[in-house]
Amino acid sequence: MVYALAWQGGTSSVRLVLAGVVVASILGSIQLGVFLFAENLETVHTAIAWTAGSLVGVDWPPVLRAAPWILLLLLGVLFASRQLDVLSLGDPMAAGLGMPIERTRFALAAIGVVLAATSVTIAGTVGFVGLILPHVSRNIVGAEHRRVLIASAAGGGTLLLVADTAARLAFSPIQVPVGIFTGILGGGYFLFLMRRSMLVGVADARPGGRRETRAASATPGADRSRKDRAAGLEAESLTIGYGGGAPVVDDVSLAAPPHRLTAIVGPNGSGKSSVVRGLARQLVVRAGHVTHSGEDLGGLGRRELARRLAVLQQEHDARPPLTVEALVMHGRHPHRRMLGRPGFADHAAVDTALRRSGIEDLRDRRIGSLSGGQRQLAWLAMALAQETDVLLLDEPTTFLDIAHQHELLALMRGIAHEGVTVGAVLHDLEHALRFADHLVVVHEGGVKGAGPPLEVLTPELLAEVFGIRARVEAGNGHPPSLRVEGLEDGDPGTAESGR
C-alpha cells in the first residue's frame, strides 16, 4: 500500500516516508476506534501492551516457526548489501552505475516488510530498535552494509533482551511493555544526534584551513589500448522528455568526436543537462537513438551501459558515510559480480582513478569531512574507476575555485586525448574556448551550432543565443578569449569575459 501511494512514475525516499506516515496515521485511527468500542477492557489492555511491544507471554513455538523465515530473509538482505551500498549514493549515481533502481528498491522493501511483519507477530511493534542499532553499528564497523547488517542484527537482539529485562524488573510485578523502554532510549538518542549535528554544522561553518589537492595531469598516450578502441558518441533525432509533459529536447542530432573534449554550452534553461541525461538514458527518450562505436545504446542493459558510459552529475546531495577510497570502489560496481569481492583489477582501477584525480592523499578521509571541491574530485574519481570509453560530466567545475577549475578541465582534456570520448556541460564560455576541442551550442531544446569553438562562436550566434554583442579574440600567443562589448538590448557596458 505504501509503495503504491508513493509511486509517481518512480519512487523516492521522501515519498515513501510520507506515504508511510499517511498509512500509519489511517491505520492508527482505525485501531483507536476499535479500542473505544471494545467491551472487554482486559482485551484492550492486552492489545495496547502488544502495540507498544512486549515479550510477555511469548512462547518458543511461534519463535521457532518464524526463525527459519527470518534467517532466510536476513540472508537475502545480506546478499544484497552491495546494492544497498550503491543506492546510498543517490538515485542518479546509482543509475549511472547500472543499478535498476526501482526493481532493487521494491525487492528490498518487500523483504523489509516481510521481516518486520514476521517479527511484529511475535513481539508487537517494538519501536526505535531498527533506527538506533544501524546508526550505532555504522559508527563502529563502518558504512559497508554487509558489516552494518550483521552488527545491527546482533546488537538489536542484545538491546531487546536488555530492555526487556529492565522493563520486567523496573516496576515488578507490573509488566511494562519493552517498547516503552526502547522508545524512551531511542528518542533520547536521536535528540543527542540532532544536538551533535547542530554543533558539527556550526563547527564546519567556522573559517578554517583547507587542504589543497592538485589534480594530476594526464599524460597523452598513457593508455594506447583505450585509444585504439574508443569511438565517438552520436545522437540522431533525439527527443527527450520528463514523464508525459512536453519534450525538453526536440529532434536533436549531435556528435562527440573520439579522442576529443566536447563542451556543451548554452544559456540557462536551454536543455544542456537534459541532453547529457538523455545520452545516458536517465531521461525518457521518446524518439531517436544514441550510438557508440556504431551500436545503439538503447539496446543495452543498465549494467552493460555502465561499462560503456560513465556520468558525473551536477549535484551530489548524498554524502554517504564512506571513505574516499570506498566511494571510488563503487565505480567498479558494473564490473563486479553480485556477491564478488573486489579483485586485483578493481583495486588497480581505484588506485589509478585516485592518482589521476589528484586525491590519492585523501583516500582514507570521510566524504563528509571534505570541502566541496574535494568531494567533487572524489565523485570524479568514482566515474574514472568505471573505466568506460565515454565520460559525460554535467558542469564538473561546480564548487571548485578557479585554480582547480582549470586543473580539472586540463585533466579532462588529457583523458580525452588518451582515447576517452569526453562530453562536459560548461557554463563558462571562456572555459569552453580554452579547453574544448569540439563545441555544441544548445538553445531552446535544439542544437544551434557545432564544431571547433573558434568557428562556432561567431558574433551572430553569440547575439542570438546568449543575447550579447561579443567576439572571440585569439592570436599573439595568447589563448582565445571572449570580449563582450555589451548586451544585445543596447547596454553599452564592456567586459573582458563571457561568464
Side-chain angles (χ1 to χ4, degrees), residues 8 30 65 88 105 107 227 231 277 316 349 383 387-388 451 487:
Q8 293 180 3
I30 295 173
R65 285 194 299 268
S88 69
R105 182 179 283 135
K227 189 166 184 175
R277 296 186 65 187
H316 311 290
E387 293 189 321
T388 57
L487 301 179

Side-chain angles (χ1 to χ4, degrees), residues 213-216 353-362 377 411:
T213 61
R214 308 295 290 180
L354 289 170
R355 184 175 64 254
R356 295 172 85 183
S357 302
I359 55 172
E360 198 170 16
D361 59 329
L362 301 179
L377 291 173
L411 171 63

Side-chain angles (χ1 to χ4, degrees), residues 279-348:
L279 292 174
R281 281 177 43 196
Q282 294 185 357
L283 288 180
V284 177
V285 177
R286 299 178 180 174
H289 56 271
V290 181
T291 61
H292 174 252
S293 300
E295 183 176 3
D296 189 348
L297 297 184
L300 300 180
R302 291 184 179 274
R303 185 177 291 267
E304 180 59 31
L305 178 65
R307 295 191 187 111
R308 305 278 192 91
L309 185 150
V311 185
L312 180 65
Q313 302 290 339
Q314 178 180 358
E315 297 178 355
H316 311 290
D317 294 331
R319 295 187 184 181
L322 302 170
T323 64
V324 171
E325 183 176 13
L327 174 69
V328 178
M329 181 59 76
H330 283 315
R332 302 300 300 166
H333 176 76
H335 301 275
R336 294 168 56 190
R337 296 179 180 178
M338 181 175 177
L339 303 180
R341 303 290 297 166
F344 175 80
D346 300 314
H347 288 290

